[in-house]
Each structure stands twice: as C-alpha cells, then as structure tokens.
Amino acid sequence: LEQSLTHAETRLQTYYGELSTDWNAADGLIEMKVTIPPNTTADIELTQAGEILAADGLDFRPALSGWQASAGSGTYSLRWRQG
C-alpha cells in the first residue's frame, strides 16, 4: 500500500502580519494558496513543477529546481501539474 502526503498548511506570525501556505495534491495536480503580509515581498519557488495552470497574475520563470516568481503582499492561488 503506497501512501503519500496530499495536504499541508502552515502559518507564521511575522512582524508585518501572517505568512501562510496551504496546499492540496491529487491526481498529479497541486493547488496552493499563499498569503504574504502587507508591506513585504516574497520569492515563491515551485520545485519539481511541470506545467503551471494558474498563477494568479504572477510571472513564473524557469529556475534551477522548477519555477520561481517574486510576489508582493496579498493572497495568491496557484495550480500546477507535477513535473
């Protein structure tokens, strides 16, 4: 019987507010919600990602281990196929 992780979430209270991620995986697709606190930026790196299906306005570019985008404060919904 093969088992694998299909859901994870984490939250971190920073000086500027809450930073969080929440993702689900099913049938080779991953959906993730990322929240970046006000007045901050973050680099989002999708390792081992294949085709990006939804980027919520972010400009993902190829990186050594997958795809990377810089994001300002806000909440982003992402979806991709495992690569």
Side-chain angles (χ1 to χ4, degrees):
L1 178 69
E2 182 179 318
Q3 297 180 356
S4 60
L5 190 61
T6 59
H7 174 81
E9 64 181 277
T10 186
R11 294 178 182 355
L12 174 67
Q13 191 61 40
T14 72
Y15 179 78
Y16 294 97
E18 187 175 86
L19 172 66
S20 67
T21 63
D22 182 348
W23 63 263
N24 292 291
D27 301 322
L29 296 175
I30 299 178
E31 293 182 346
M32 181 169 71
K33 184 169 96 173
V34 178
T35 300
I36 302 165
N39 302 312
T40 63
T41 61
D43 289 331
I44 299 173
E45 195 165 317
L46 307 178
T47 59
Q48 301 178 356
E51 180 185 6
I52 297 175
L53 304 172
D56 213 1
L58 297 176
D59 183 22
F60 278 92
R61 296 170 189 245
L64 291 177
S65 60
W67 298 89
Q68 183 176 13
S70 295
S73 57
T75 299
Y76 301 91
S77 294
L78 310 172
R79 187 171 189 227
W80 67 91
R81 281 188 210 287
Q82 291 179 312

